[in-house]
Amino acid sequence: GKRELTISLGIATYNVHSKNKNDLIKRADEALYEAKKTGKNKVKVWEAEFSKQSEYNDKLAGILTGNAAYDYDKVSSMIEMLNITKSKNDKITKIYEMMKKLIIKTDSTESYIFFVEHDRILDMKRVVKDFEGFSEIGYFNKDIIREVRINREGIYTIDWEEIKEVGSLETIPKWHSICVLPLINGEKLKGILYFSAPAYIKEFDFKDFNYIQTLSDYISILL
């Protein structure tokens, strides 16, 4: 009762601003920063422009950390991807080699590439971690693919719609963590990359997303 109390709030809404909890927390924090920056004692609901202030710093997330061994491995991967683009192999072989490398580097179990032309998916390929060559098409979340195709923005989340098998406790479904990104060459959407791993083994975060997005640009060049 001796002094006035004020409060600033930042709000991010599930399914409107993101479906990923870490993304929601990050965006709520950006909205909170905007509330404080513009005078305090107010509520701000997240808007895309709030992210622009932190966009520069985010570009290196998942690529450079200050850990010499980790950073060397990440930069080496970028050089390896570049060398694949310069090889004499045909386009499809290059894409396969890049997808295989990204699966290993991100601890994924499988990956899809969807080839897009005039905003329509014309073909798709699947690469599985412990299988040589392209594999038969299996399960993927069509709604997420549609969302990325329409919005041209990547997403990393848990695929709550997928239940492949029951977990070891026979009560917990083995949901998969997925990371899906558009492949844009110039201003045209040329493809979509889709990475998946069991959530109990690997859950994609923003650093994984940023790392895959950076290396996937080498694939975009080929499309």
Side-chain angles (χ1 to χ4, degrees):
K2 295 183 180 180
R3 62 178 299 173
E4 182 181 4
L5 178 67
T6 65
I7 185 168
S8 299
L9 296 175
I11 295 175
T13 305
Y14 172 78
N15 211 25
V16 175
H17 300 129
S18 179
K19 294 180 180 179
N20 178 271
K21 66 177 182 179
N22 293 326
D23 219 21
L24 285 169
I25 292 171
K26 178 177 179 292
R27 292 180 175 182
D29 187 59
E30 290 172 350
L32 172 61
Y33 177 81
E34 186 71 13
K36 291 179 177 180
K37 187 178 70 172
T38 55
K40 302 182 179 179
N41 197 28
K42 62 177 64 175
V43 178
K44 284 286 185 178
V45 178
W46 184 84
E47 298 177 14
E49 64 192 57
F50 296 168
S51 295
K52 293 179 181 178
Q53 295 293 331
S54 58
E55 185 177 354
Y56 176 78
N57 292 330
D58 287 344
K59 286 180 180 178
L60 294 179
I63 301 171
L64 297 180
T65 65
N67 181 308
Y70 178 92
D71 292 346
Y72 177 83
D73 180 64
K74 295 298 183 182
V75 174
S76 295
S77 297
M78 298 175 73
I79 295 172
E80 290 168 7
M81 294 286 277
L82 178 60
N83 288 336
I84 291 174
T85 65
K86 294 161 62 178
S87 74
K88 296 181 179 180
N89 292 329
D90 61 85
K91 181 176 75 173
I92 294 298
T93 301
K94 290 179 181 179
I95 289 173
Y96 168 78
E97 291 175 352
M98 290 180 176
M99 290 173 67
K100 196 76 170 183
K101 185 168 293 296
L102 281 170
I103 285 175
I104 294 170
K105 294 296 183 180
T106 59
D107 297 321
S108 304
T109 53
E110 65 178 355
S111 177
Y112 283 88
I113 183 168
F114 301 85
F115 298 95
V116 178
E117 187 172 330
H118 303 303
D119 210 31
R120 294 173 62 98
I121 294 175
L122 300 182
D123 193 14
M124 65 186 78
K125 300 287 186 183
R126 179 190 183 207
V127 178
V128 177
K129 184 177 182 179
D130 297 321
F131 184 86
E132 291 300 318
F134 291 111
S135 303
E136 293 184 5
I137 301 301
Y139 168 86
F140 58 88
N141 190 310
K142 295 179 180 179
D143 291 334
I144 295 291
I145 294 297
R146 186 182 303 109
E147 181 179 338
V148 171
R149 180 176 59 81
I150 293 173
N151 296 331
R152 298 191 178 193
E153 292 183 358
I155 186 173
Y156 56 98
T157 186
I158 301 295
D159 184 3
W160 302 110
E161 302 300 321
E162 177 191 20
I163 303 178
K164 282 188 173 180
E165 54 185 310
V166 176
S168 58
L169 298 178
E170 297 187 353
T171 56
I172 304 174
K174 285 189 177 180
W175 286 299
H176 277 56
S177 178
I178 58 175
C179 183
V180 188
L181 303 103
L183 296 171
I184 297 175
N185 192 334
E187 296 183 355
K188 294 183 178 180
L189 177 67
K190 304 297 289 184
I192 297 171
L193 272 181
Y194 183 109
F195 290 85
S196 175
Y200 69 93
I201 294 177
K202 164 78 176 183
E203 185 170 347
F204 292 107
D205 57 19
F206 179 75
K207 291 181 179 180
D208 295 311
F209 175 83
N210 203 47
Y211 176 62
I212 295 173
Q213 188 173 48
T214 300
L215 294 190
S216 69
D217 285 344
Y218 291 103
I219 298 179
S220 298
I221 293 172
L222 299 175
L223 301 179

